[in-house]
Amino acid sequence: MPIEMSLTDEHEELRATLRAFLNECSDEATVREQMSTERGYDPDVWTQMAEQMGLAGLIIPEEFGGAGYGYVELLVVMEEMGRALLCSPYLSTAVLAANALMHCADEKSQKELLTEIAAGRMVAAVAHAEPNGRWDIEGLEMTATRSGDQWTLSGEKTWVLDGGSAQVILVLARTDSGLSLFRVDPEAPGLRREAVPPLDLTRKISQLHFEDAPAELISAGDQSANFERVLALTTAALSAEQMGGAQWCLETAVEYAKTRLQFGRPIGSYQAIKHKCADMLVETEFARSAAYAACFAAAEQEDDFLEMADLAQSACSEAFFHAAAETIQIHGGMGFTWELPVHLYFKRAKASDLLFGDAAQHRESLANRVGL
Amino acid sequence: MPEPTPMDEETLRARVRKLLEEAHPETTDSISFRQKQYEHGLAWVHFPEGYGGLGLSPKMNMIVFDEISKHSKVIHTTPPASVIGIGMGAPVVLTYGTEEMKKTLLPKIFSGEEVWCQLFSEPGAGSDVAGLSSLAIRDGDEWIVNGQKVWTTVAHLSRWGMLLTRTDPDAPKHDGLSYFLLDMKAPGVEVRPLYQITGEAEFNEVFLNDVRIPHARMLGQEGQGWRVAITTLMNERVAIGGGGSKRKGGGATGQLLDVWRQRKKGAHSPAQEAMLRDRVTRSYMDNELLRLTAQRARASQKAGNPGPEGSVAKLAQAEINKRMWETAIDIMGSDALAFEAGYALRQTAGAPDSVEGIAKYQFLRSRANSIEGGTSEIMRNILGERVLGLPGEPRIDKEVPWKDVPRS
Ligand SMILES: Cc1cc2nc3c(=O)[nH]c(=O)nc-3n(C[C@H](O)[C@H](O)[C@H](O)COP(=O)(O)OP(=O)(O)OC[C@H]3O[C@@H](n4cnc5c(N)ncnc54)[C@H](O)[C@@H]3O)c2cc1C
Ligand SMILES: Cc1cc2nc3c(=O)[nH]c(=O)nc-3n(C[C@H](O)[C@H](O)[C@H](O)COP(=O)(O)OP(=O)(O)OC[C@H]3O[C@@H](n4cnc5c(N)ncnc54)[C@H](O)[C@@H]3O)c2cc1C
């Protein structure tokens, strides 16, 4: 029998608590304020999320100070954050870095870093992509250099989420034992961090230049398979965030279509608009199914998890982007303005699609996995 | 440990095994087996006890299917001609029928002994089925019906018809309709095949000339036929938008994958191959999304008749299915110039036997998916208005007597 994908009352309570919190800490004015800062988020809110709500360590095991929850809880959290367009290092730190540490790092580093992350004292960035533009594991080319017990890194890492504000940088690089995870101090000599002006202002990205930068090896053995899983876990969580964004667009577009009158009628009474909304509803419902499937498969450690993560990335990326694009269109001239927040979702949608390899790449990966 | 409820999953499975001891699909014909399945309350477990069910949640039906498949290579699934009776006739009888109708009609609907058809659409009333013009006039304890129905699937095989007809032309259109059970063998019922783009005739024209129906066969009150019709249509959407295949890469998707894997190597350039592969992957995904959405809907579905959410699956499935078979044809390329089955007009076409034959047939048949059971445009209107709450269009046909509404 297939796993039953339904949320419990506790999950709905978590959602309600989170929505109330985000209504306060991630209203439109706050989002606009935070996105115009260099850091891109409010450190006080980050601490509050960690200390009062246990969100930073949501999926981190209790032995490392986390809440020890699973991917179903994360699904709810990411959906709400996506809806509220929260500006936060949540994806980089609580999802990507936490997973990288949990799946690739040695115990000592896990203890040290996961504890700090869960406590809200540390923002962590993972540096993996490189200027070659590839997102697959084989595309990782940076090779670490060893002299004695010391490791150094040289080369470029691109599109590093929150690379500018992180207190620790986790770098993927090759060694004799295969793909390895390194810990680098952001202030290390030989590391230059350059902020990239982002398409999506709500998530900050950096380019990192390494020139014989000292690094600490914190993994043992080849991490290719583990890191592939880390990326899939990250896109699964991201897909829930995208689905939440799509849901916001749908609701916003429908609300506008009910209240905007042209030619003496609400524009939502014209089928050209009504049918767009209906199609958005179908796509959003499908995106929800995909995000659920991926996150439930992650939670239950199902065999088909990697496949479901590919499916969710592709379905949710396209649904979110399409919903945001249609929401602009339904708002007419207003949709094209800076004043309305729709463009922020539109940009978030495209950036989220491109962040870990786009929808077409994930479909290709899916095709490979199921043998098409 | 708390006591398990009287009908938890394991108890239900045990009940299925008990049925299999009495009658096994491998040694029993479909009708006899399904009769027994009904007696055991395992026909549709979400129906009440005594009517082929056990009063359980609809999602428990999967468990019955699952348990039977565990113990039998043969599965007596819904006979093709009974889809309408089981999907729409049974819920309508259960909701609106008399005790006697439930007792006599439901077992035969499920077993496949009696086929049902849906007599709604007329030449002048398709999407706007509430605007239909066939007319029933009261004559003592009977009604006399005249008019024409069209697109009536399996009418030629049917024992009973779900007839929606006008009983009051002076009332606004929705208020002047009544719903009857029509004996398809009654004098004055004439069924003529209607050929479709595949060359076969699943559907028919049905002419009603002075057909007499006992008043006792009216379902719901006089003038309330529209409400009964809505129950039928909501169930139809769920029956049609059934949520894709039950398992990964199964059903129609499996057939598309077969076409893809058996493609002629070298017929397409590498660039074309890459594009086709992406389309195949999209179809695979679409079907997964349908399956997962149906699974999610089942998990949250309460007992009772489905709501407008059924339109999500109906709309999606229609468009997905058409796209999928278009992809299959494009994979075959110029080999699809031939249509081996031919178009000899006949009542039922033999099932095509090759992967390519199925795809070519489905390429044509799937065009109906976005028309039958309500067009995709109508589904979008329903989703927009009933689920999202968008305003309807200004109407010129709602408050006025039906007889004053313009018609083509
Ligand atoms: C870049 C830009 C430059 C512009 N420059 C000028 C300019 O120089 N001078 C000027 O006067 N104006 C200008 N405009 C305004 C432009 O003409 C209007 O934005 C446009 O006509 C749409 O009107 P609206 O924004 O009020 O949207 P609305 O009319 O409110 O439309 C909202 C949505 O409803 C849809 N809709 C509305 N009515 C119907 C219907 N009957 N059937 C189906 N759908 C419907 C629309 O297609 C749209 O998707 C400009 C707009 C932009 C974006
Ligand atoms: C294979 C098949 C089997 C069928 N089986 C049965 C059956 O067993 N019993 C039965 O009763 N019927 C049956 N039907 C009929 C089916 O329900 C109708 O064909 C359908 O409801 C459309 O009606 P129509 O064909 O009259 O098209 P019309 O209603 O005339 O529609 C023509 C076009 O106009 C569009 N349109 C109409 N109204 C609107 C609107 N308000 N807004 C936007 N667009 C609109 C439609 O979407 C369509 O594209 C079957 C049809 C098919 C194809």
Side-chain angles (χ1 to χ4, degrees), chain A residues 1-6 250 254 257-258 265-266 268-269 271 274-275 277-279 281-282 285-286 288-290 292-293 304 307-308 311 314-315 318 360 363-364 366-368 370-372, chain B residues 9 13 59 62-63 66 248 257 260-261 277-278 280-282 284-286 288-293 295-296 299 312 315-316 320 377 380-381 383-385 387-394:
Chain A
M1 294 297 290
I3 42 170
E4 197 161 287
M5 300 192 294
S6 54
L250 172 64
V254 167
K258 284 179 189 171
R265 289 159 53 178
S269 68
Q271 291 190 352
K274 184 178 294 168
H275 289 190
C277 293
D279 287 336
L281 170 66
V282 172
E285 282 306 304
F286 274 31
R288 190 180 312 282
S289 300
Y292 272 49
D304 64 356
E307 189 188 312
M308 287 297 160
L311 177 111
S314 174
E318 293 196 342
R363 277 198 303 281
E364 189 175 3
L366 174 64
N368 292 337
V370 300
L372 297 180
Chain B
E9 184 179 325
R13 286 184 188 276
K59 62 188 173 191
M62 290 274 287
I63 292 167
D66 188 61
K248 236 179 236 192
L257 299 192
W260 171 246
R261 290 188 178 122
R277 187 174 188 236
D278 191 52
V280 172
T281 313
R282 276 184 185 278
Y284 178 89
M285 276 184 53
D286 285 341
E288 276 296 276
L289 293 171
L290 264 179
R291 182 178 70 81
L292 293 163
T293 304
Q295 192 178 318
R296 211 158 52 75
V312 171
L315 171 60
I320 284 170
E377 289 74 26
R380 290 189 180 96
N381 285 346
L383 289 178
E385 291 168 25
V387 178
L388 297 174
L390 291 168
E393 287 173 272

Side-chain angles (χ1 to χ4, degrees), chain A residues 89-133:
Chain A
Y90 201 79
L91 181 66
S92 62
T93 304
V95 179
L96 177 54
N99 271 310
L101 289 165
M102 279 154 60
H103 289 87
C104 305
D106 55 38
E107 214 181 312
K108 173 179 157 282
S109 315
Q110 287 183 338
K111 187 166 268 162
E112 216 176 297
L113 299 176
L114 287 172
T115 317
E116 288 298 292
I117 288 175
R121 288 189 293 265
M122 178 179 271
V123 166
V126 175
H128 52 118
E130 296 173 15
N132 62 19

Side-chain angles (χ1 to χ4, degrees), chain B residues 119-138:
Chain B
L119 297 156
F120 282 22
S121 305
E122 297 184 2
S127 300
D128 180 19
V129 71
L132 56 77
S133 353
S134 63
L135 186 64
I137 293 172
R138 182 95 188 230

Side-chain angles (χ1 to χ4, degrees), chain A residues 256 260-263 267 270 272-273 276 329-334 336:
Chain A
Y256 191 74
R260 170 72 175 170
L261 303 183
Q262 287 292 277
F263 306 98
I267 55 169
Y270 299 110
I273 299 298
K276 276 187 197 302
Q329 181 63 22
I330 290 169
H331 280 78
M334 282 304 292
F336 188 65

Side-chain angles (χ1 to χ4, degrees), chain B residues 29-180:
Chain B
D29 66 275
S30 173
I31 288 183
S32 316
F33 178 78
R34 292 173 68 88
Q35 283 168 340
K36 280 273 178 243
Q37 190 177 349
Y38 184 94
E39 285 166 21
H40 283 249
L42 297 169
W44 27 54
V45 297
H46 59 293
F47 274 36
E49 259 177 88
Y51 306 109
L54 296 167
L56 304 177
S57 122
K59 62 188 173 191
M60 302 285 266
N61 284 308
M62 290 274 287
I63 292 167
V64 176
F65 181 83
D66 188 61
E67 190 64 26
I68 296 179
S69 5
K70 267 195 206 158
H71 300 282
S72 177
K73 286 199 212 42
V74 179
I75 300 195
H76 293 311
T77 49
T78 304
S82 297
V83 171
I84 291 173
I86 290 175
M88 305 173 230
V92 166
V93 170
L94 182 72
T95 312
Y96 294 100
T98 61
E99 188 57 28
E100 206 227 315
M101 286 175 183
K102 292 183 207 173
K103 287 282 180 217
T104 55
L105 297 172
L106 291 175
K108 291 182 175 167
I109 293 180
F110 185 76
S111 68
E113 285 161 277
E114 291 183 348
V115 170
W116 285 50
C117 64
Q118 178 196 15
L119 297 156
F120 282 22
S121 305
E122 297 184 2
S127 300
D128 180 19
V129 71
L132 56 77
S133 353
S134 63
L135 186 64
I137 293 172
R138 182 95 188 230
D139 181 28
D141 275 351
E142 291 183 324
W143 291 83
I144 303 171
V145 197
N146 279 286
Q148 187 197 334
K149 295 291 175 178
V150 73
W151 325 124
T152 321
T153 307
V154 298
H156 57 296
L157 305 173
S158 289
R159 178 71 186 78
W160 296 102
M162 293 170 266
L163 173 68
L164 185 65
T165 191
R166 193 158 302 285
T167 44
D168 182 2
D170 293 319
K173 63 181 196 175
H174 291 94
D175 302 335
L177 298 170
S178 298
Y179 197 109
F180 293 93

